[in-house]
Amino acid sequence: MMPSIVSNIIAIYRKELQGYFASPLAYVVAGVFWLIAGIFFVAILLGPEGIIAQAALRDAQGQQIGVPLPPLDVPYEFLKIFLQIMGSLSLFVLPILSMSLYAEERKRGTLELLATSPITNWAVATGKLLGVLTFFTTMVLPLLGYEAIALSASSPPIRPEVPLLGHAGLILLAASVLSLGMFISSLTDSSILAAFLTFGLVLLLWVLELIASSLTGFWLPVGEALRHLSLLKHYNNLVGGNLDTSGLAVFASYIFLGLFLTAQSIDALRFQRS
Amino acid sequence: MIEVENLSKVYGSTPAIQNVSFTVEPGEIMGFLGPNGAGKTTTMRILAGYLPATAGTARIAGYDVHEASLEVRRRIGYLPENPPLYPEMTVEGFLHFVAQIKGVRGRDRLRQVNLAMERCNIEDKRRVLIRKLSKGYKQRVGIAQAIVHDPPAIILDEPTVGLDPRQIIEVRNLIKSLAGSHTVILSTHILPEVSMTCSRVAIINRGQIAVTNTLENLMAEIAGGSGYELEVEGDVTAAQNRLQSIAGVRLVEILPSSDLPENRALFRVLSAPGAEIGREIAAVLVAADLGLYEMRRNQVSLEDVFLKLTTSEPSPNDEIPAVS
């Protein structure tokens, strides 16, 4: 039983990857992502308000008052800001990647093939999530290249766990959003609708922290609970180099929830005796 | 192999099929015939486990399609109404993918895919992207997809739609070649398809099974309704009486016709089942010195039965064949 599930997941995974690399939309999304990421990269590092300019300004201020200010940890600050912005940018890009995961299968009628094959909904959903996540990881890889070039110039060298945690956080954030987006995509046969609904959900998760902090008094515990669900808060923790297990648990829960709901929603199509 | 009992499906408040029952024996090819919108696709989808039935049961190879869906899905090949294809894949790549998710072992996959392509005559397009194929090729890739894992039961929803006449013949031959080792149920609204490929036929109309029978029995029953049309010159009543007196004649009627010359009439003579009355008719008319200008055998075809069964207002002389 086990090998056949793995073989099914691999089959779906390969089909999905092939679909992404054959899709013009995926290339456009990746291209726009790289372009915007590149602009931010340059602006944050070298721009007039950029990190290097700020560090220089701070040194100059220190010299003026005669007391040197504590120096800015340029590589760390740079990576933190850059990854935070990449996180926000991803929230716009991910709904476009997840929108057609199931909507397109429903529209083309290929869901009828998947649903009448001896393959479980879990295997299909897992294969699809791994596929789209691989594509997103491919989109992130070139950024690692520029970062490596910039950070290699830093002295003393940056602690390796900082970029490692930050990028792992980015992938986890993406996996959570994609998993929920996949569920939304399984509810409709319109990709556009799925993209908008997913984007709405992402916005909600984004502002959760704002809502949480506006709750006071009696509602304070609710606010605390909501704050814990915020994806960006846990992401920013990881980007800051703090590995907190509760954050990892939240990401894992979102991913599992998305997979579970997707499997249920496809099952419901088949098993509701209306 | 396929047993369907009192299957019903209701969409909202409109019933799509009601109390559909039939069985298909192993190795048989069953034609599921009906006009568009009669509930063919709904029945096929329930059999394939894609739609749940509202009531009733369907079993394939002894497994309930609803309760033991996974076991059923291991044993069926299914061509939906619209062939489920991934346009960005090549024909070969797609069939490999399908073989894999249908559970064909890695070492058998290449052989099975090649065999399916050979049987469906699509080898020349093996490396072509599906989105570049014509409708006929797409339909055949759809059929290949349904047989690539060599399933014991094959469900084909309108397999010859979109094919040109030559391809239709090829596909029909392919389906016929599946008989024996596979159990096939195919739906169609094209009558010759059933008479050419199927050993049994179920006619469905407005969600209900009108007839299920073997093709021979059905045709034999219908043959009972065959007869002749005659154009006769002379005394109309005399001619009618003479014709009526022939042994084996069930009914003589005068057909209305306006464009006949003076003193002529058009008759329809229906024979009793099994009786051959052509010889007698000619003899009687000649003996009575009546003029016989035209005599045409009127074989009732599957089309007539189909129309009889699926048209709501029966004409007075129509006899619905007994449901068996």
mmCIF file of all heavy atoms in Angstrom, chain B residues 11-50:
data_model
loop_
_atom_site.group_PDB
_atom_site.id
_atom_site.type_symbol
_atom_site.label_atom_id
_atom_site.label_comp_id
_atom_site.label_asym_id
_atom_site.label_seq_id
_atom_site.Cartn_x
_atom_site.Cartn_y
_atom_site.Cartn_z
ATOM 1 N N TYR B 11 -31.205 15.614 -8.975
ATOM 2 C CA TYR B 11 -30.469 16.884 -8.866
ATOM 3 C C TYR B 11 -31.446 17.916 -8.335
ATOM 4 O O TYR B 11 -32.376 18.296 -9.048
ATOM 5 C CB TYR B 11 -29.964 17.361 -10.220
ATOM 6 C CG TYR B 11 -28.846 16.553 -10.801
ATOM 7 C CD1 TYR B 11 -29.046 15.804 -11.952
ATOM 8 C CD2 TYR B 11 -27.582 16.548 -10.212
ATOM 9 C CE1 TYR B 11 -28.017 15.064 -12.511
ATOM 10 C CE2 TYR B 11 -26.561 15.818 -10.758
ATOM 11 C CZ TYR B 11 -26.782 15.079 -11.906
ATOM 12 O OH TYR B 11 -25.761 14.357 -12.449
ATOM 13 N N GLY B 12 -31.250 18.377 -7.130
ATOM 14 C CA GLY B 12 -32.209 19.300 -6.539
ATOM 15 C C GLY B 12 -33.550 18.612 -6.462
ATOM 16 O O GLY B 12 -33.726 17.675 -5.689
ATOM 17 N N SER B 13 -34.499 19.012 -7.295
ATOM 18 C CA SER B 13 -35.784 18.324 -7.288
ATOM 19 C C SER B 13 -36.045 17.612 -8.613
ATOM 20 O O SER B 13 -37.043 16.924 -8.757
ATOM 21 C CB SER B 13 -36.908 19.310 -7.000
ATOM 22 O OG SER B 13 -36.895 20.324 -7.972
ATOM 23 N N THR B 14 -35.126 17.783 -9.603
ATOM 24 C CA THR B 14 -35.353 17.124 -10.882
ATOM 25 C C THR B 14 -34.667 15.759 -10.891
ATOM 26 O O THR B 14 -33.458 15.668 -10.688
ATOM 27 C CB THR B 14 -34.796 17.946 -12.056
ATOM 28 O OG1 THR B 14 -33.645 18.637 -11.579
ATOM 29 C CG2 THR B 14 -35.795 18.897 -12.613
ATOM 30 N N PRO B 15 -35.439 14.717 -11.126
ATOM 31 C CA PRO B 15 -34.819 13.395 -11.208
ATOM 32 C C PRO B 15 -34.083 13.243 -12.532
ATOM 33 O O PRO B 15 -34.639 13.539 -13.589
ATOM 34 C CB PRO B 15 -36.015 12.438 -11.121
ATOM 35 C CG PRO B 15 -37.186 13.236 -11.555
ATOM 36 C CD PRO B 15 -36.886 14.680 -11.314
ATOM 37 N N ALA B 16 -32.800 12.822 -12.449
ATOM 38 C CA ALA B 16 -32.040 12.593 -13.677
ATOM 39 C C ALA B 16 -32.246 11.173 -14.151
ATOM 40 O O ALA B 16 -32.448 10.928 -15.338
ATOM 41 C CB ALA B 16 -30.567 12.858 -13.439
ATOM 42 N N ILE B 17 -32.214 10.223 -13.220
ATOM 43 C CA ILE B 17 -32.552 8.841 -13.569
ATOM 44 C C ILE B 17 -33.423 8.273 -12.450
ATOM 45 O O ILE B 17 -33.307 8.673 -11.300
ATOM 46 C CB ILE B 17 -31.301 7.952 -13.773
ATOM 47 C CG1 ILE B 17 -30.386 8.015 -12.553
ATOM 48 C CG2 ILE B 17 -30.560 8.335 -15.017
ATOM 49 C CD1 ILE B 17 -29.308 6.960 -12.565
ATOM 50 N N GLN B 18 -34.289 7.357 -12.822
ATOM 51 C CA GLN B 18 -35.196 6.761 -11.833
ATOM 52 C C GLN B 18 -35.212 5.254 -11.987
ATOM 53 O O GLN B 18 -35.479 4.736 -13.068
ATOM 54 C CB GLN B 18 -36.627 7.253 -12.058
ATOM 55 C CG GLN B 18 -36.829 8.730 -11.790
ATOM 56 C CD GLN B 18 -38.191 9.168 -12.289
ATOM 57 O OE1 GLN B 18 -39.198 8.529 -12.034
ATOM 58 N NE2 GLN B 18 -38.219 10.259 -13.024
ATOM 59 N N ASN B 19 -34.926 4.548 -10.893
ATOM 60 C CA ASN B 19 -35.058 3.089 -10.851
ATOM 61 C C ASN B 19 -34.400 2.378 -12.028
ATOM 62 O O ASN B 19 -35.005 1.504 -12.634
ATOM 63 C CB ASN B 19 -36.526 2.693 -10.784
ATOM 64 C CG ASN B 19 -37.091 2.967 -9.417
ATOM 65 O OD1 ASN B 19 -36.411 2.723 -8.408
ATOM 66 N ND2 ASN B 19 -38.295 3.499 -9.365
ATOM 67 N N VAL B 20 -33.209 2.783 -12.331
ATOM 68 C CA VAL B 20 -32.506 2.139 -13.439
ATOM 69 C C VAL B 20 -31.904 0.823 -12.942
ATOM 70 O O VAL B 20 -31.209 0.800 -11.937
ATOM 71 C CB VAL B 20 -31.409 3.068 -13.989
ATOM 72 C CG1 VAL B 20 -30.464 2.315 -14.903
ATOM 73 C CG2 VAL B 20 -32.045 4.233 -14.722
ATOM 74 N N SER B 21 -32.253 -0.267 -13.618
ATOM 75 C CA SER B 21 -31.696 -1.573 -13.259
ATOM 76 C C SER B 21 -31.253 -2.287 -14.515
ATOM 77 O O SER B 21 -31.969 -2.282 -15.513
ATOM 78 C CB SER B 21 -32.739 -2.449 -12.569
ATOM 79 O OG SER B 21 -33.223 -1.825 -11.420
ATOM 80 N N PHE B 22 -30.072 -2.883 -14.479
ATOM 81 C CA PHE B 22 -29.648 -3.772 -15.563
ATOM 82 C C PHE B 22 -28.410 -4.507 -15.095
ATOM 83 O O PHE B 22 -27.819 -4.150 -14.073
ATOM 84 C CB PHE B 22 -29.364 -3.007 -16.867
ATOM 85 C CG PHE B 22 -28.315 -1.942 -16.748
ATOM 86 C CD1 PHE B 22 -26.975 -2.246 -16.890
ATOM 87 C CD2 PHE B 22 -28.683 -0.610 -16.511
ATOM 88 C CE1 PHE B 22 -26.019 -1.252 -16.786
ATOM 89 C CE2 PHE B 22 -27.731 0.380 -16.412
ATOM 90 C CZ PHE B 22 -26.389 0.060 -16.549
ATOM 91 N N THR B 23 -28.066 -5.567 -15.804
ATOM 92 C CA THR B 23 -26.805 -6.241 -15.488
ATOM 93 C C THR B 23 -26.037 -6.444 -16.785
ATOM 94 O O THR B 23 -26.629 -6.575 -17.851
ATOM 95 C CB THR B 23 -27.022 -7.623 -14.846
ATOM 96 O OG1 THR B 23 -27.850 -8.371 -15.715
ATOM 97 C CG2 THR B 23 -27.654 -7.527 -13.480
ATOM 98 N N VAL B 24 -24.732 -6.439 -16.667
ATOM 99 C CA VAL B 24 -23.877 -6.742 -17.807
ATOM 100 C C VAL B 24 -23.031 -7.934 -17.396
ATOM 101 O O VAL B 24 -22.353 -7.906 -16.369
ATOM 102 C CB VAL B 24 -22.980 -5.544 -18.176
ATOM 103 C CG1 VAL B 24 -22.269 -5.813 -19.489
ATOM 104 C CG2 VAL B 24 -23.793 -4.264 -18.263
ATOM 105 N N GLU B 25 -23.105 -9.001 -18.189
ATOM 106 C CA GLU B 25 -22.352 -10.211 -17.871
ATOM 107 C C GLU B 25 -20.884 -10.029 -18.266
ATOM 108 O O GLU B 25 -20.583 -9.239 -19.155
ATOM 109 C CB GLU B 25 -22.933 -11.409 -18.643
ATOM 110 C CG GLU B 25 -24.391 -11.697 -18.349
ATOM 111 C CD GLU B 25 -24.628 -12.018 -16.877
ATOM 112 O OE1 GLU B 25 -23.743 -12.657 -16.261
ATOM 113 O OE2 GLU B 25 -25.679 -11.620 -16.347
ATOM 114 N N PRO B 26 -19.985 -10.802 -17.626
ATOM 115 C CA PRO B 26 -18.571 -10.673 -17.972
ATOM 116 C C PRO B 26 -18.337 -10.913 -19.463
ATOM 117 O O PRO B 26 -18.911 -11.821 -20.042
ATOM 118 C CB PRO B 26 -17.904 -11.781 -17.139
ATOM 119 C CG PRO B 26 -18.831 -12.028 -16.022
ATOM 120 C CD PRO B 26 -20.206 -11.723 -16.512
ATOM 121 N N GLY B 27 -17.523 -10.102 -20.054
ATOM 122 C CA GLY B 27 -17.160 -10.273 -21.450
ATOM 123 C C GLY B 27 -18.153 -9.697 -22.439
ATOM 124 O O GLY B 27 -17.941 -9.738 -23.643
ATOM 125 N N GLU B 28 -19.253 -9.162 -21.907
ATOM 126 C CA GLU B 28 -20.273 -8.622 -22.794
ATOM 127 C C GLU B 28 -19.995 -7.163 -23.152
ATOM 128 O O GLU B 28 -19.331 -6.462 -22.395
ATOM 129 C CB GLU B 28 -21.610 -8.648 -22.058
ATOM 130 C CG GLU B 28 -22.665 -9.448 -22.748
ATOM 131 C CD GLU B 28 -23.960 -9.446 -21.953
ATOM 132 O OE1 GLU B 28 -24.098 -8.715 -20.938
ATOM 133 O OE2 GLU B 28 -24.846 -10.165 -22.354
ATOM 134 N N ILE B 29 -20.536 -6.724 -24.278
ATOM 135 C CA ILE B 29 -20.541 -5.300 -24.590
ATOM 136 C C ILE B 29 -21.993 -4.840 -24.555
ATOM 137 O O ILE B 29 -22.837 -5.349 -25.283
ATOM 138 C CB ILE B 29 -19.948 -5.017 -25.979
ATOM 139 C CG1 ILE B 29 -18.504 -5.498 -26.028
ATOM 140 C CG2 ILE B 29 -20.002 -3.527 -26.279
ATOM 141 C CD1 ILE B 29 -17.834 -5.235 -27.356
ATOM 142 N N MET B 30 -22.263 -3.934 -23.652
ATOM 143 C CA MET B 30 -23.638 -3.458 -23.484
ATOM 144 C C MET B 30 -23.738 -2.045 -24.036
ATOM 145 O O MET B 30 -22.921 -1.182 -23.705
ATOM 146 C CB MET B 30 -23.978 -3.505 -21.999
ATOM 147 C CG MET B 30 -25.045 -2.536 -21.553
ATOM 148 S SD MET B 30 -26.683 -3.186 -21.763
ATOM 149 C CE MET B 30 -27.172 -3.323 -20.080
ATOM 150 N N GLY B 31 -24.712 -1.822 -24.879
ATOM 151 C CA GLY B 31 -24.936 -0.477 -25.405
ATOM 152 C C GLY B 31 -25.998 0.220 -24.591
ATOM 153 O O GLY B 31 -27.039 -0.366 -24.294
ATOM 154 N N PHE B 32 -25.705 1.415 -24.218
ATOM 155 C CA PHE B 32 -26.635 2.185 -23.406
ATOM 156 C C PHE B 32 -27.130 3.303 -24.296
ATOM 157 O O PHE B 32 -26.405 4.254 -24.579
ATOM 158 C CB PHE B 32 -25.869 2.710 -22.197
ATOM 159 C CG PHE B 32 -26.725 2.976 -21.010
ATOM 160 C CD1 PHE B 32 -27.467 1.960 -20.436
ATOM 161 C CD2 PHE B 32 -26.763 4.227 -20.447
ATOM 162 C CE1 PHE B 32 -28.247 2.192 -19.328
ATOM 163 C CE2 PHE B 32 -27.541 4.477 -19.341
ATOM 164 C CZ PHE B 32 -28.281 3.459 -18.780
ATOM 165 N N LEU B 33 -28.357 3.138 -24.759
ATOM 166 C CA LEU B 33 -28.832 3.970 -25.857
ATOM 167 C C LEU B 33 -29.912 4.907 -25.358
ATOM 168 O O LEU B 33 -30.778 4.502 -24.596
ATOM 169 C CB LEU B 33 -29.406 3.015 -26.911
ATOM 170 C CG LEU B 33 -29.831 3.534 -28.243
ATOM 171 C CD1 LEU B 33 -28.639 4.079 -28.979
ATOM 172 C CD2 LEU B 33 -30.433 2.395 -29.040
ATOM 173 N N GLY B 34 -29.846 6.134 -25.782
ATOM 174 C CA GLY B 34 -30.911 7.053 -25.397
ATOM 175 C C GLY B 34 -30.679 8.395 -26.033
ATOM 176 O O GLY B 34 -29.568 8.714 -26.443
ATOM 177 N N PRO B 35 -31.753 9.198 -26.127
ATOM 178 C CA PRO B 35 -31.569 10.541 -26.690
ATOM 179 C C PRO B 35 -30.742 11.395 -25.741
ATOM 180 O O PRO B 35 -30.526 11.022 -24.591
ATOM 181 C CB PRO B 35 -33.002 11.066 -26.803
ATOM 182 C CG PRO B 35 -33.814 10.244 -25.898
ATOM 183 C CD PRO B 35 -33.137 8.944 -25.721
ATOM 184 N N ASN B 36 -30.286 12.522 -26.235
ATOM 185 C CA ASN B 36 -29.507 13.414 -25.375
ATOM 186 C C ASN B 36 -30.347 13.842 -24.182
ATOM 187 O O ASN B 36 -31.530 14.114 -24.315
ATOM 188 C CB ASN B 36 -29.066 14.649 -26.167
ATOM 189 C CG ASN B 36 -28.053 14.278 -27.220
ATOM 190 O OD1 ASN B 36 -27.262 13.358 -27.023
ATOM 191 N ND2 ASN B 36 -28.090 14.962 -28.349
ATOM 192 N N GLY B 37 -29.719 13.858 -23.021
ATOM 193 C CA GLY B 37 -30.429 14.298 -21.821
ATOM 194 C C GLY B 37 -31.269 13.218 -21.180
ATOM 195 O O GLY B 37 -32.060 13.494 -20.291
ATOM 196 N N ALA B 38 -31.091 11.966 -21.614
ATOM 197 C CA ALA B 38 -31.918 10.898 -21.052
ATOM 198 C C ALA B 38 -31.375 10.368 -19.736
ATOM 199 O O ALA B 38 -32.056 9.638 -19.036
ATOM 200 C CB ALA B 38 -32.032 9.758 -22.063
ATOM 201 N N GLY B 39 -30.148 10.719 -19.393
ATOM 202 C CA GLY B 39 -29.569 10.233 -18.144
ATOM 203 C C GLY B 39 -28.419 9.265 -18.357
ATOM 204 O O GLY B 39 -27.986 8.604 -17.426
ATOM 205 N N LYS B 40 -27.903 9.209 -19.585
ATOM 206 C CA LYS B 40 -26.796 8.282 -19.863
ATOM 207 C C LYS B 40 -25.556 8.678 -19.089
ATOM 208 O O LYS B 40 -24.949 7.859 -18.394
ATOM 209 C CB LYS B 40 -26.464 8.282 -21.368
ATOM 210 C CG LYS B 40 -27.574 7.843 -22.262
ATOM 211 C CD LYS B 40 -27.100 7.662 -23.697
ATOM 212 C CE LYS B 40 -26.597 8.952 -24.318
ATOM 213 N NZ LYS B 40 -27.665 9.845 -24.788
ATOM 214 N N THR B 41 -25.160 9.952 -19.204
ATOM 215 C CA THR B 41 -23.929 10.393 -18.556
ATOM 216 C C THR B 41 -24.027 10.270 -17.046
ATOM 217 O O THR B 41 -23.077 9.850 -16.386
ATOM 218 C CB THR B 41 -23.616 11.843 -18.971
ATOM 219 O OG1 THR B 41 -23.345 11.841 -20.369
ATOM 220 C CG2 THR B 41 -22.416 12.388 -18.232
ATOM 221 N N THR B 42 -25.204 10.585 -16.499
ATOM 222 C CA THR B 42 -25.392 10.459 -15.054
ATOM 223 C C THR B 42 -25.151 9.012 -14.615
ATOM 224 O O THR B 42 -24.429 8.746 -13.652
ATOM 225 C CB THR B 42 -26.816 10.891 -14.672
ATOM 226 O OG1 THR B 42 -27.000 12.234 -15.102
ATOM 227 C CG2 THR B 42 -27.034 10.798 -13.185
ATOM 228 N N THR B 43 -25.742 8.065 -15.364
ATOM 229 C CA THR B 43 -25.560 6.652 -15.014
ATOM 230 C C THR B 43 -24.087 6.253 -15.089
ATOM 231 O O THR B 43 -23.561 5.586 -14.205
ATOM 232 C CB THR B 43 -26.391 5.783 -15.976
ATOM 233 O OG1 THR B 43 -27.707 6.309 -16.035
ATOM 234 C CG2 THR B 43 -26.440 4.354 -15.501
ATOM 235 N N MET B 44 -23.416 6.704 -16.157
ATOM 236 C CA MET B 44 -22.000 6.365 -16.337
ATOM 237 C C MET B 44 -21.162 6.918 -15.183
ATOM 238 O O MET B 44 -20.261 6.256 -14.683
ATOM 239 C CB MET B 44 -21.478 6.983 -17.638
ATOM 240 C CG MET B 44 -22.171 6.492 -18.868
ATOM 241 S SD MET B 44 -21.457 4.965 -19.407
ATOM 242 C CE MET B 44 -22.826 4.219 -20.193
ATOM 243 N N ARG B 45 -21.468 8.148 -14.793
ATOM 244 C CA ARG B 45 -20.692 8.769 -13.716
ATOM 245 C C ARG B 45 -20.898 8.045 -12.399
ATOM 246 O O ARG B 45 -19.967 7.899 -11.614
ATOM 247 C CB ARG B 45 -21.100 10.232 -13.557
ATOM 248 C CG ARG B 45 -20.523 11.111 -14.638
ATOM 249 C CD ARG B 45 -20.886 12.551 -14.391
ATOM 250 N NE ARG B 45 -20.004 13.428 -15.149
ATOM 251 C CZ ARG B 45 -20.143 14.739 -15.194
ATOM 252 N NH1 ARG B 45 -21.122 15.329 -14.534
ATOM 253 N NH2 ARG B 45 -19.302 15.468 -15.887
ATOM 254 N N ILE B 46 -22.117 7.593 -12.161
ATOM 255 C CA ILE B 46 -22.365 6.850 -10.920
ATOM 256 C C ILE B 46 -21.580 5.535 -10.960
ATOM 257 O O ILE B 46 -20.932 5.163 -9.983
ATOM 258 C CB ILE B 46 -23.871 6.591 -10.744
ATOM 259 C CG1 ILE B 46 -24.599 7.914 -10.508
ATOM 260 C CG2 ILE B 46 -24.111 5.637 -9.577
ATOM 261 C CD1 ILE B 46 -26.101 7.813 -10.504
ATOM 262 N N LEU B 47 -21.596 4.870 -12.105
ATOM 263 C CA LEU B 47 -20.871 3.603 -12.221
ATOM 264 C C LEU B 47 -19.382 3.800 -11.984
ATOM 265 O O LEU B 47 -18.723 2.975 -11.369
ATOM 266 C CB LEU B 47 -21.082 2.996 -13.616
ATOM 267 C CG LEU B 47 -22.418 2.310 -13.846
ATOM 268 C CD1 LEU B 47 -22.486 1.798 -15.267
ATOM 269 C CD2 LEU B 47 -22.583 1.168 -12.868
ATOM 270 N N ALA B 48 -18.850 4.920 -12.469
ATOM 271 C CA ALA B 48 -17.412 5.178 -12.327
ATOM 272 C C ALA B 48 -17.066 5.679 -10.924
ATOM 273 O O ALA B 48 -15.911 5.860 -10.602
ATOM 274 C CB ALA B 48 -16.967 6.190 -13.365
ATOM 275 N N GLY B 49 -18.095 5.894 -10.104
ATOM 276 C CA GLY B 49 -17.824 6.363 -8.743
ATOM 277 C C GLY B 49 -17.569 7.846 -8.662
ATOM 278 O O GLY B 49 -17.054 8.336 -7.667
ATOM 279 N N TYR B 50 -17.908 8.583 -9.714
ATOM 280 C CA TYR B 50 -17.663 10.028 -9.691
ATOM 281 C C TYR B 50 -18.818 10.771 -9.061
ATOM 282 O O TYR B 50 -18.631 11.802 -8.430
ATOM 283 C CB TYR B 50 -17.416 10.534 -11.109
ATOM 284 C CG TYR B 50 -17.069 11.998 -11.197
ATOM 285 C CD1 TYR B 50 -15.911 12.483 -10.584
ATOM 286 C CD2 TYR B 50 -17.882 12.897 -11.866
ATOM 287 C CE1 TYR B 50 -15.584 13.815 -10.644
ATOM 288 C CE2 TYR B 50 -17.550 14.239 -11.936
ATOM 289 C CZ TYR B 50 -16.406 14.686 -11.327
ATOM 290 O OH TYR B 50 -16.078 16.014 -11.392
#
